[in-house]
Structures are given as structure tokens and as C-alpha cells.
Amino acid sequence: MTQATLYPVPDNVKNRCHVTNEQYLALYQESIEQPEQFWSKQAQRLSWSKPFTQVKDTSYELGKVKINWFADGELNASVNCLDRHLPERADQVAFYWEGDEPGVQKEVTYQALYDEVCQLANGMKALGVGKGDRVTIYLPMIPQAAVALLACARIGAVHSVVFAGFSPDALGSRIIDCDSKLVVTTDQALRGSRATNLKDNTDIALAHLGDTNPVKNVIVIKHVGKSIDFHQGRDVWYHELLAQQPKACTPEPMNAEDPLFILYTSGSTGKPKGVLHTTGGYLVYASMTHQYVFDYQDGDIYWCAADVGWVTGHSYIVYGPLANGASSVMFEGVPTYPSVKRIAQIVDKYQVNILYTAPTAIRALMAHGEAPVEGADLSSLRILGSVGEPINPEAWHWYHDKIGKGNCPIVDTWWQTETGGILITPLPGATALKPGSATRPFFGVKPALVDNEGNIVEGQGEGNLVITDSWPGQMRTLYGDHDRFEQTYFSTYAGVYFTGDGARRDEDGYYWLTGRVDDVLNISGHRLGTAEIESCLVAHEAIAEAAVVGYPHDIKGQGIYVYVTPRVGVEPSEDLTKAIRAWVREEISPIATPDLVQWAPAGLPKTRSGKIMRRILRKIAANEHDQLGDISTLADPSVVEMLVNNRLNRK
Ligand code: WTA
């Protein structure tokens, strides 16, 4: 695979890009050898209300992990995304919003965005929300999602966005964990014409929290017009709140290390982790990567087709592009509604120059051959991006040939919620591409591979991907649990940040991501912990024990394979299987719905000490039961035989 064809930078791209290969190499070297000098220059891309004098103060030493960037500087993220652009860009469109139904659309200029952000910021203040308070945002892809994030940033409140596809319980546990005072939501979300009642979900979540509910107010955006249960004294209509507020709001001066947001993500243990990002370093990094990785130039139309519920939406729909004064498309719906032509139609309609999406979307379209691109003019496209999971070469070629017509570089961007921004990626004008490789590190990023004992793998080779020094966009802690932060990321291998991913480095120094090496699944680019799904399963009355593993899935990348042992007296049946799939869907989210549910009435394979042998379960799920390896340590090997005989994936 490392013999892959090299795709050199096309001339039309090379001649206008921010950096050529020579410039990349020189700048990269400077960023590694003189990080303070490099980042102090780069940070000038923002406007600081109080300039910083310190640049980098970081340590990866276990027990003393600290990450501080620009620590004595002050700035406000919303000022950097809005106010400073107004003299030149007041009438420039910040978001071309495209609704779920074709024909439903709206343009939001920088001035309009500024006005609404100030009004909501004032409204939040009127409700008693201030600097340091947490605000949960539970919204679909509507312009008010960006407004809500920036309004929090303006007053120094810390936003915690919960993906609109999450269930009431998932919402509730995230509200409790960060002790949110306020929730911003809407009557209903629409995706591919399917409606989710977000306000109803919020009501259920808060009711379940009972006396422990920390939420004082719920701001409700009237989006679809569905009727809601209005809780007097708690609920506030967004439009009524804003109507009373002036379109100016003095920004809160924030220290560079003051929190900007919390975003929950799945880890290898049950409880979701509240990844915390701060203001200065995050914004420098989001803005710089957005400009360089997508080669964003003034006047470009940029479209990141992610959801604001994930980190991609935070960094590359809201903060990065707005900090750079970009014009973006924001899309409420899904790539396959009302037809598989939707992505191409949107590109054509807005003459999109840069498209950033996920391999799972590409694979879903690819299955339809030419149909997704028929009848659309895609000639405006210059750069394509990919994120969320490794892009398989077949999908890469389809994306490159059918969407990019063979002349748009694909930036395969590797990063994580924890990293705040892109860490390993091609740069359009600098990097020759190999389909399936995320290629080389971004400025300031020092990746390394280590074997399972923590020894550095030099040159070509494979191992666990670690990052050996800090970059400004790095997460600072897990909200309320610094110890877990250190344990999760800095204890596996001493002195380095452990990503949880495996990777290979080829003869050109290019990185090829090979997937998670921990118990985290990647379903259609969405992160889910196996432990999270297992604890949900065992909470079902019919289930005694459960184990969850991933298996290769044509469209989703990974599918969810569930092994369940029924409780004594419970007879497995088709209906029960259906009920269990529905249970997980309801309790966590539709994205967590098990694809395959295998009953294991004789139990799960365990070591003599009682540990479930996941390695074996993964092999059976992948239909690789001929490669089970050593099973001599099993307490009862006959269990395995039964599972193999009844396996559900035979591809
Ligand atoms: C995976 C999403 C290969 C990886 C931005 C990582 C990728 C996890 C890529 C983070 C890529 C993301 N190639 N794998 N280009 N991008 N991943 O936190 O396993 O939702 O650790 O952040 O997605 O997922 P998260």
C-alpha cells in the first residue's frame, strides 16, 4: 500500500496557494525548532485586547501535566470572529444557510450575525448567566447554533454543545456533569425530513434529573413551529428574549487560558469525557489550520458539511472560518435527501470552492455510481477535504474523480476532539498526495510512533500514534477531572500525549492512520465507546451480560456488533432483538443502534480470571474466526465454538 501512486500538486492550485512544499518544510522546521518564535508570530492573526508576553508553558510529565499558551494575554473569541471584520465585511455573507428541504434558505451577513449574537448575549446576561457559567446547547444545524456559541463566548460563558441526535438521557448526563444553568434548544430538528422534538427531549431530560437539575432557564428557538410544552418561569422564547435586547454588547475580556467550551466525547470507559478547550490557543490554532489546510482565500465559498454537535463543527464551521472572515455554507440536512444529488446540487447552487466532508458520506454516494453528480456543475470546486475516519482508497478515488473531476487535491485531515484542530494533513499547495494517507504533520506538531512498551519506532514502521510536544489547540483538561485527563492521555506512554490511534509511517515519512487501538468505535465518523453501549445494554431487563465490538461495514466504516447473554428464564427471539436495538437507540442515540445482535445463551468467552476476551469477539464479528489465535487461556473453549457457529457476519 505504501507503493501508492503519488498525486503531485496540480499547477492551478500550486500557483495560488499559501505555501509551497519548500515553504512548508522551512516553516515546519521553524515551528519545531523555535516554537515560541513561531507561535508568537502566528498568534498575531488574532486581535488581543491585552498582548501576551508568555508563549508556551507546557509539561507532559505525569502528575504535573500543564498546558498553557499565551497565558497572560487577553482576547474575546466573538470579537475575533465578528467585531474586527465589520469595517470591511459587514455586508459579506458569513453563512449561506441551506435548509433540510431544498428551497428553504437564508443568508446571514457578518453584520446580522453580530447583531444577533449581541442580542442573545444580552438576553443570557438578563437571565443571570455570566462569565464561567456553563450553557448547554442542543440545536440542529441552524444559524442560531453559531449565534449561541458566539453569544456564550461574548459573555465568557462556557458552552457545551450536545449533538441533536442524542437522547434525553445522554443530554441529561451531560447537563449534570458540567452543572449547566441554561439550555438553548429548539422546538424541532429536521434531518432528511425526519423530525426530532428537541424541546420535548429537553423536558424529559430535565424531569429525569429531578432535584439535581441545575438548569434555571431553557431558551427555545421557534424553528419549525411545532407546539411545545411551555414551562412558565423556566422557558423563554428566543424571539421574545431578543426583541428586548440592544444590538450591542460589551465583550468580556477573557484570559487566553479561560475556558471557551466543553465538548463531550466517548472514551474507552463508560462515562463521556468533557474535553475542555480554552480561548487563545484554540482560536489561534483553529484559525491558522482553517486558512492553511483548506487554503482559504478571501472570496472563497467554503462548505464544511459536519454538524456543530461535533468538534469539526466547532473548529471548522464556527470558530476557524469566522475568525478568518470566511463565507460558508451551513447545511441542515443529510447528503441523501431528497436525493443522492443533494451535495452536488448545493455545491453548484452556491458555487462552493472548498468542500469538507466525511468518508462515510462519500461511500454512501459512491454506491450510486454517477447519479450523485449528474446534472450538477462542480467546476467551482478547488479543494476537497475528508475527516473523521481513514478514507479508503476506493472512496478517495471516487471523491477525487467524480466530485473533484481529477483536479482538486484532497486534504485527508487527521485530528480529534482533544486536539482542537487538524494535526496531520496534506497542505493543498505543498503536499503530493497518496490516497488513504493523512500524509504529514501540520506546523508545530511532532508526531511519533511507539511500540506497546513505549519505545520510539524510528523511520518506516507501525505503532501507536503519540504527539511528543504541545500545540496551541490542545485540550487543557477533562472538565472537573484533571486526574482522569492525565491518566487517559499521559500515563500509557511516559512524557507524550497518547492519541488512542494506531498508525504507520512510510518511506516518505507519510502517516497512514490504521484506526483506534482502544475500545472506541468509529461509526460513520462518530465516536462511541463500547463501554457506553454495554452499560446501556445491561440496563435492559432481559440482558445479563453484554460485549460490544466493531466490525468492518461498507458504508459506516465500522458497524456495531453486540453479543448479549440473556438473563435466566429469558428466551431470545426476533422481537426481543428488535426491542434491544430500539432500547439502545432510545437510550443513547440512533447512531449507537446495534447493527448485529448475537445472542450468547452459553455466555461470553472469558479468561479464567473472568475477563471477557474481546480479541476473540472482534475476530468472530469480523468473520475471521480462522484467526482466533491462542484460546488456551479460556475458561470454557466450547463457548467460542458456539459463537462461531451462530455468527451473524459471514462476509
Ligand atoms: C478518527 C473528529 C483516520 C481517529 C475530528 C480519531 C481519523 C478519531 C481521521 C477522533 C482521519 C479522525 N483519518 N482517522 N483523517 N480523522 N479520525 O474526536 O480514530 O470525533 O482518534 O474527532 O476519529 O474523532 P473525534
Side-chain angles (χ1 to χ4, degrees):
M1 238 159 91
T2 53
Q3 301 305 320
T5 323
L6 210 56
Y7 285 74
V9 180
D11 283 340
N12 58 328
V13 173
K14 195 191 244 163
N15 296 337
R16 57 169 293 182
C17 271
H18 291 300
V19 282
T20 62
N21 193 41
E22 293 67 39
Q23 288 165 329
Y24 164 78
L25 293 172
L27 270 173
Y28 181 73
Q29 196 175 359
E30 183 199 333
S31 74
I32 296 303
E33 289 172 0
Q34 291 160 304
E36 300 240 350
Q37 173 184 307
F38 179 85
W39 286 114
S40 124
K41 263 191 286 182
Q42 289 306 326
Q44 305 311 325
R45 62 175 43 250
L46 299 185
S47 78
W48 298 79
S49 52
K50 177 174 169 252
F52 55 86
T53 63
Q54 304 156 15
V55 181
K56 179 175 187 280
D57 173 27
T58 63
S59 161
Y60 281 0
E61 190 186 335
L62 193 60
K64 295 182 194 158
V65 176
K66 62 169 177 181
I67 296 152
N68 295 305
W69 284 89
F70 318 113
D72 60 347
E74 282 180 10
L75 75 169
N76 182 286
S78 82
V79 169
N80 275 283
C81 291
L82 300 169
D83 309 39
R84 66 177 178 143
H85 301 316
L86 292 185
E88 287 162 26
R89 302 185 192 275
D91 297 329
Q92 183 191 316
V93 172
F95 290 112
Y96 292 93
W97 179 72
E98 169 83 4
D100 189 50
E101 288 296 331
V104 177
Q105 63 201 52
K106 192 180 170 183
E107 289 181 3
V108 184
T109 62
Y110 272 90
Q111 183 70 54
L113 193 59
Y114 170 88
D115 291 350
E116 201 166 323
V117 165
C118 287
Q119 286 181 303
L120 180 58
N122 287 326
M124 286 182 182
K125 282 209 273 195
L127 295 173
V129 178
K131 183 172 176 177
D133 289 338
R134 274 78 57 211
V135 173
T136 295
I137 295 171
Y138 186 49
L139 288 175
M141 290 301 293
I142 53 178
Q144 290 89 346
V147 171
L149 266 62
L150 294 169
C152 288
R154 192 148 195 102
I155 63 173
V158 183
H159 57 75
S160 162
V161 179
V162 176
F163 175 54
F166 276 130
S167 68
D169 274 1
L171 172 65
S173 64
R174 286 158 176 80
I175 287 173
I176 277 284
D177 188 79
C178 70
D179 199 23
S180 281
K181 253 190 173 165
L182 175 72
V183 176
V184 184
T185 189
T186 179
D187 49 0
Q188 208 171 48
L190 293 176
R191 286 188 85 229
S193 82
R194 276 215 318 262
T196 314
N197 299 325
L198 297 188
K199 172 58 167 61
D200 292 354
N201 282 358
T202 307
D203 291 344
I204 297 168
L206 298 183
H208 280 183
L209 296 181
D211 290 345
T212 59
N213 172 21
V215 172
K216 304 271 182 297
N217 294 104
V218 176
I219 299 180
V220 190
I221 296 161
K222 196 176 259 183
H223 173 48
V224 179
K226 181 205 167 278
S227 67
I228 57 154
D229 261 347
F230 195 87
H231 292 233
Q232 284 299 341
R234 185 195 76 186
D235 295 352
V236 184
W237 281 111
Y238 180 89
H239 56 277
E240 288 178 7
L241 180 69
L242 266 64
Q244 307 155 11
Q245 302 300 337
K247 294 177 175 168
C249 170
T250 309
E252 190 71 33
M254 302 296 282
N255 183 273
E257 285 301 336
D258 280 337
L260 179 63
F261 66 86
I262 300 165
L263 184 57
Y264 287 89
T265 189
S266 296
S268 46
T269 58
K271 202 170 149 240
K273 307 181 286 195
V275 168
L276 185 111
H277 284 286
T278 57
T279 307
Y282 170 80
L283 201 60
V284 168
Y285 199 75
S287 140
M288 185 181 181
T289 46
H290 172 260
Q291 183 190 342
Y292 282 86
V293 174
F294 302 106
D295 191 48
Y296 188 84
Q297 317 253 359
D298 236 1
D300 279 344
I301 306 291
Y302 161 87
W303 178 22
C304 168
D307 192 287
V308 74
W310 311 114
V311 73
T312 309
H314 284 60
S315 301
Y316 299 114
I317 293 178
V318 180
Y319 288 111
L322 293 177
N324 294 340
S327 291
S328 298
V329 173
M330 180 192 268
F331 177 40
E332 182 180 28
V334 296
T336 48
Y337 178 83
S339 84
V340 294
K341 298 187 194 303
R342 191 71 188 275
I343 292 229
Q345 286 166 344
I346 295 174
V347 168
D348 187 346
K349 176 171 173 183
Y350 298 99
Q351 290 292 291
V352 170
N353 306 113
I354 303 160
L355 170 65
Y356 190 29
T357 186
T360 188
I362 297 160
R363 288 192 297 264
L365 299 184
M366 187 171 83
H368 300 270
E370 297 286 331
V373 295
E374 263 164 14
D377 170 17
L378 301 180
S379 61
S380 57
L381 285 172
R382 193 174 87 247
I383 287 157
L384 304 176
S386 171
V387 61
E389 52 179 317
I391 178 164
N392 49 309
E394 210 189 344
W396 193 98
H397 284 293
W398 190 87
Y399 198 24
H400 189 254
D401 298 348
K402 303 289 182 221
I403 303 275
K405 308 297 179 203
N407 52 28
C408 301
I410 297 178
V411 288
D412 175 2
T413 63
W414 175 86
W415 60 297
Q416 310 178 295
T417 305
E418 292 88 338
T419 69
I422 294 161
L423 293 198
I424 302 184
T425 179
L427 296 183
T431 315
L433 306 172
K434 297 183 191 181
S437 171
T439 77
R440 303 183 295 192
F442 191 73
F443 305 122
V445 175
K446 286 167 79 175
L449 301 176
V450 296
D451 65 19
N452 288 340
E453 281 68 53
N455 305 308
I456 297 272
V457 177
E458 304 282 357
Q460 263 178 271
E462 190 159 350
N464 303 297
L465 179 65
V466 300
I467 313 291
T468 64
D469 200 357
S470 182
W471 64 99
Q474 183 168 27
M475 72 183 287
R476 302 304 198 249
T477 191
L478 284 172
Y479 184 77
D481 201 347
H482 194 71
D483 192 46
R484 185 175 176 204
F485 170 63
E486 293 208 357
Q487 289 304 322
T488 307
Y489 302 105
F490 300 95
S491 72
T492 320
Y493 305 109
V496 295
Y497 166 78
F498 177 42
T499 64
D501 279 323
R504 193 155 52 79
R505 192 172 41 224
D506 71 13
E507 68 280 10
D508 295 319
Y510 278 25
Y511 287 86
W512 300 72
L513 278 298
T514 53
R516 300 288 304 193
V517 295
D518 55 10
D519 289 323
V520 172
L521 304 178
N522 191 328
I523 313 296
S524 300
H526 302 318
R527 258 169 87 163
L528 287 166
T530 53
E532 225 172 318
I533 306 171
E534 285 164 8
S535 62
C536 168
L537 286 164
V538 295
H540 189 280
E541 57 188 13
I543 297 174
E545 194 168 44
V548 174
V549 298
Y551 73 101
H553 188 286
D554 286 348
I555 306 253
K556 302 202 235 178
Q558 261 189 321
I560 301 177
Y561 197 117
V562 163
Y563 298 89
V564 275
T565 308
R567 290 215 181 157
V568 181
V570 172
E571 260 317 301
S573 66
E574 291 243 337
D575 281 349
L576 190 53
T577 300
K578 266 195 210 145
I580 281 167
R581 297 182 75 227
W583 167 260
V584 178
R585 194 184 167 89
E586 287 291 309
E587 292 290 305
I588 305 179
S589 162
I591 58 177
T593 312
D595 294 283
L596 299 172
V597 179
Q598 178 169 4
W599 290 94
L604 300 171
K606 289 185 185 158
T607 60
R608 288 193 187 86
S609 60
K611 236 178 119 187
I612 295 177
M613 293 195 66
R614 290 169 184 284
R615 179 177 57 82
I616 291 177
L617 295 176
R618 275 190 215 112
K619 286 287 179 197
I620 298 173
N623 199 25
E624 292 172 352
H625 50 282
D626 49 338
Q627 304 163 29
L628 289 185
D630 180 15
I631 56 169
S632 62
T633 53
L634 277 176
D636 177 6
S638 72
V639 160
V640 172
E641 203 182 309
M642 219 172 327
L643 290 178
V644 169
N645 290 340
N646 298 323
R647 71 191 183 280
L648 297 175
N649 174 23
R650 292 177 184 255
K651 277 215 291 193

